[in-house]
Amino acid sequence: MTVSSEIKSSARRAAPRRVFLKNYGCQMNVYDGARMLESLTPLGYQRTEDAESADLVILMSCHIRAKAAEKIYSDLGRIRQKKKEGSLVALAGCVAQAEGAESLRRAPVLDIVLGPQSLHKLPQILRRREREGIAETSIETALAADAKFRSLPPRGRASVSAFLTVQEGCDRFCSFCVVPYTRGAEFSRPVMDIIKEAEILALKGAKEIILLGQNVNAYRGRGFKRGEGLWSLARLIKRLAHIPEIRRIRYTTSHPSDMKEDLIRAHQEEEKLMPFLHLPAQSGSERILKAMNRRHDADFYWRIVKRLREARPDIALSSDFIVGFPGETEEDFQKTLALAERVSFAQAYSFKYSPRPGTPAASLDNQIPEETKQERLTRLRLLLDAQQRRFNESFVGRHLPVLLTGAGGGGGRGGGGGREGQIAAKSPYGQSVYLEKEGDSRHLAPGRVSDALITEGYAHALRGRAA
Ligand code: 5AD
Ligand code: SF4
């Protein structure tokens, strides 16, 4: 590089640049997106909420259901028309991984296509594009999770409740699911790396950490010592609980078959481990669970629930359900309703089955008509919503230690959303709690755990007073 071009390029580096990022997917994407933004700070990028004035637009895509994947393309169409002259558009995440070069055909506006394990390459791609004036699209879709984690810079920021990815990918191959193809094989980060990241998060003000993994309870990470066996998630949680500033620990998402005894016991023994578990059941029918390749039946699920409740009687349970999986009869669906009735969930997500390209279930010929899927979804949601409301209402008049997460707002469906003058908090059971500000509320600073008297329970949140 000549002296004058070096001066020019460093001047370009110093100019403030704006990056817009939108997330379409799960918490793993939220984590990935945040880390990716941090990696752009040395290049002078600052976040903006306005896509039209951004120099770089990043869409963190999700491939899990057709709706999420299609939304990306309609948004890319809009961005194409409104984007700033000369700005770059990047498709990151799971659609990028699944469709790679194909995504260019559908969205020629794309300059960069980055799979979830390649997002650490973004700074390098941007530098190269700038240096060499590359005009064609850069595509990176290698599936190497260890390289990604090794290459990300140390954390620069933390919220009161912070995500920390400990495991990525999935080896279970449920017949409906794209994750093994978009995120690759199971990979557990080494214990040392996770502890370091958790300590940095704690230093930066995190009080709660949410350990993330597509199959997080299958975590098996390399420990400190040579010859020492792999660490389980339970052991990792107990070690992380030694960090004094970290007051609460959660983990998500778990597979019933990996719900091992030491993890169940950790819910009894480890005070910092919150009494909440997201444990997707997907269906209550043996036949459908088998066709889904879940490798457990409804009875197995129920036995785990019983063990968890013995270990931690107040544990709140959450689940995912799919209705209208190929071949699902009314009788199968009744079994899903029966499982939900039996467990009584604190909250749950339910979805219509969406055939995903490349997954075994998509090519089954007994697909269920849309109207039947919709009708079953409505019935299941009615039940799950009633359970959630009942759960929330059961706290009215009771005291809960809530973690203060920030000022008012933050939305929340079902009439429980926060307003100005309220303080957002989180209950041990994962519920959003909105506290009324009364008089001097200086002691209600984000990051504190405060005793709250719950005054109202809504469909999706609680309202209360700092007691
Ligand atoms: N169709 C509908 N829902 C799906 N999920 C995963 N794949 C599909 C699909 N093809 C749901 C599962 C999973 C959650 C993250 O998304 O319930 O647990
Ligand atoms: Fe969506 Fe799954 Fe990718 Fe998360 S890992 S963004 S849920 S496809």
Side-chain angles (χ1 to χ4, degrees):
M1 194 187 280
T2 64
V3 174
S4 73
S5 69
E6 193 152 15
I7 291 169
K8 263 191 228 152
S9 85
S10 66
R12 268 204 305 271
R13 256 203 307 276
R17 289 184 268 202
R18 307 259 168 225
V19 51
F20 170 87
L21 182 138
K22 182 170 173 187
N23 181 34
Y24 295 75
C26 62
Q27 293 151 324
M28 303 280 284
N29 261 13
V30 175
Y31 175 89
D32 282 349
R35 302 297 313 269
M36 189 153 61
L37 287 180
E38 287 181 35
S39 76
L40 297 180
T41 313
L43 278 77
Y45 279 96
Q46 287 166 7
R47 190 165 188 181
T48 171
E49 298 303 319
D50 173 27
E52 291 172 36
S53 67
D55 302 286
L56 171 63
V57 172
I58 306 174
L59 304 189
M60 285 298 288
S61 61
C62 173
H63 199 57
I64 200 96
R65 285 170 289 275
K67 219 164 142 187
E70 289 310 316
K71 178 95 174 67
I72 288 286
Y73 289 106
S74 57
D75 283 5
L76 279 170
R78 260 195 301 281
I79 286 166
R80 182 187 198 171
Q81 291 177 350
K82 294 194 173 165
K83 81 186 194 82
K84 185 168 121 177
E85 178 76 34
S87 63
L88 295 174
V89 181
L91 174 67
C94 295
V95 173
Q97 186 67 40
E99 301 192 353
E102 172 67 11
S103 56
L104 287 184
R105 199 187 47 78
R106 296 189 61 184
V109 67
L110 289 172
D111 300 291
I112 299 165
V113 177
L114 270 184
Q117 318 293 22
S118 304
L119 51 90
H120 57 286
K121 295 190 181 146
L122 185 58
Q124 168 192 328
I125 292 174
L126 291 170
R127 283 201 186 97
R128 209 179 50 228
R129 291 186 75 90
E130 190 166 300
R131 215 171 39 228
E132 296 166 17
I134 298 169
E136 70 272 17
T137 305
S138 317
I139 304 181
E140 296 281 353
T141 50
L143 277 176
D146 55 340
K148 158 172 139 179
F149 289 112
R150 261 190 282 117
S151 313
L152 284 168
R155 303 284 297 253
R157 294 185 203 109
S159 45
V160 169
S161 175
F163 292 136
L164 200 177
T165 296
V166 302
Q167 182 276 337
E168 188 156 346
C170 183
D171 293 342
R172 287 208 160 265
F173 290 91
C174 298
S175 64
F176 51 80
C177 188
V178 290
V179 168
Y181 315 100
T182 57
R183 294 265 175 177
E186 278 177 19
F187 167 76
S188 294
R189 294 178 68 192
V191 172
M192 184 73 96
D193 295 2
I194 297 168
I195 293 172
K196 270 196 216 141
E197 193 170 329
E199 283 173 346
I200 295 173
L201 288 172
L203 267 176
K204 308 254 176 200
K207 302 293 176 199
E208 173 175 274
I209 48 175
I210 306 174
L211 306 177
L212 299 180
Q214 259 100 28
N215 205 3
V216 73
N217 59 343
Y219 175 84
R220 291 175 66 69
R222 190 154 42 80
F224 303 105
K225 295 188 218 120
R226 213 173 249 280
E228 170 188 46
L230 296 174
W231 282 40
S232 67
L233 184 67
R235 189 166 174 196
L236 179 69
I237 289 170
K238 288 189 172 172
R239 174 60 186 78
L240 292 172
H242 291 166
I243 303 173
E245 297 85 354
I246 301 296
R247 305 195 53 183
R248 298 184 162 191
I249 301 173
R250 304 173 186 275
Y251 59 95
T252 195
T253 287
S254 299
H255 192 291
S257 306
D258 289 307
M259 209 59 221
K260 297 285 150 52
E261 199 50 38
D262 65 338
L263 188 54
I264 296 178
R265 263 203 323 275
H267 279 279
Q268 182 169 13
E269 295 163 357
E270 183 46 65
E271 214 186 306
K272 291 187 178 180
L273 182 57
M274 288 296 100
F276 176 87
L277 177 63
H278 182 63
L279 190 66
Q282 312 297 1
S283 167
S285 151
E286 269 76 287
R287 225 172 54 78
I288 296 299
L289 284 166
K290 203 166 175 97
M292 287 176 164
N293 194 29
R294 291 291 285 174
R295 295 185 233 181
H296 65 80
D297 57 18
D299 208 50
F300 180 83
Y301 188 90
W302 174 242
R303 284 203 303 275
I304 291 174
V305 169
K306 277 207 303 201
R307 275 291 297 118
L308 282 160
R309 285 179 172 159
E310 277 160 24
R312 179 81 208 221
D314 64 335
I315 196 162
L317 293 168
S318 158
S319 180
D320 290 339
F321 288 102
I322 296 178
V323 299
F325 184 83
E328 185 188 70
T329 61
E330 173 61 25
E331 198 187 336
D332 292 317
F333 175 65
Q334 289 290 342
K335 289 185 178 167
T336 298
L337 291 176
L339 179 69
E341 287 276 12
R342 194 172 193 192
V343 176
S344 192
F345 289 98
Q347 66 141 90
Y349 303 94
S350 44
F351 311 102
K352 290 184 274 189
Y353 169 71
S354 168
R356 306 306 292 128
T359 59
S363 51
L364 295 174
D365 52 15
N366 44 3
Q367 301 288 327
I368 302 298
E370 175 61 25
E371 312 80 75
T372 314
K373 286 188 203 174
Q374 185 55 53
E375 185 253 344
R376 288 181 189 163
L377 186 71
T378 307
R379 282 156 70 201
L380 179 59
R381 286 204 172 156
L382 214 60
L383 172 63
L384 295 171
D385 285 352
Q387 290 185 344
Q388 185 169 0
R389 187 178 278 277
R390 207 177 326 130
F391 180 72
N392 287 345
E393 285 172 356
S394 74
F395 291 94
V396 175
R398 288 168 56 189
H399 288 257
L400 281 178
V402 300
L403 175 65
L404 305 171
T405 50
R413 294 165 296 157
R419 292 189 308 254
E420 270 309 299
Q422 292 184 329
I423 298 158
K426 201 164 160 191
S427 85
Y429 309 101
Q431 297 141 302
S432 296
V433 184
Y434 296 97
L435 301 179
E436 303 294 341
K437 260 192 195 162
E438 285 167 355
D440 185 0
S441 57
R442 270 175 300 181
H443 61 293
L444 297 176
R448 294 251 176 110
V449 174
S450 167
D451 179 31
L453 170 66
I454 304 303
T455 52
E456 279 163 280
Y458 299 100
H460 298 281
L462 303 176
R463 200 176 291 279
R465 270 201 310 270

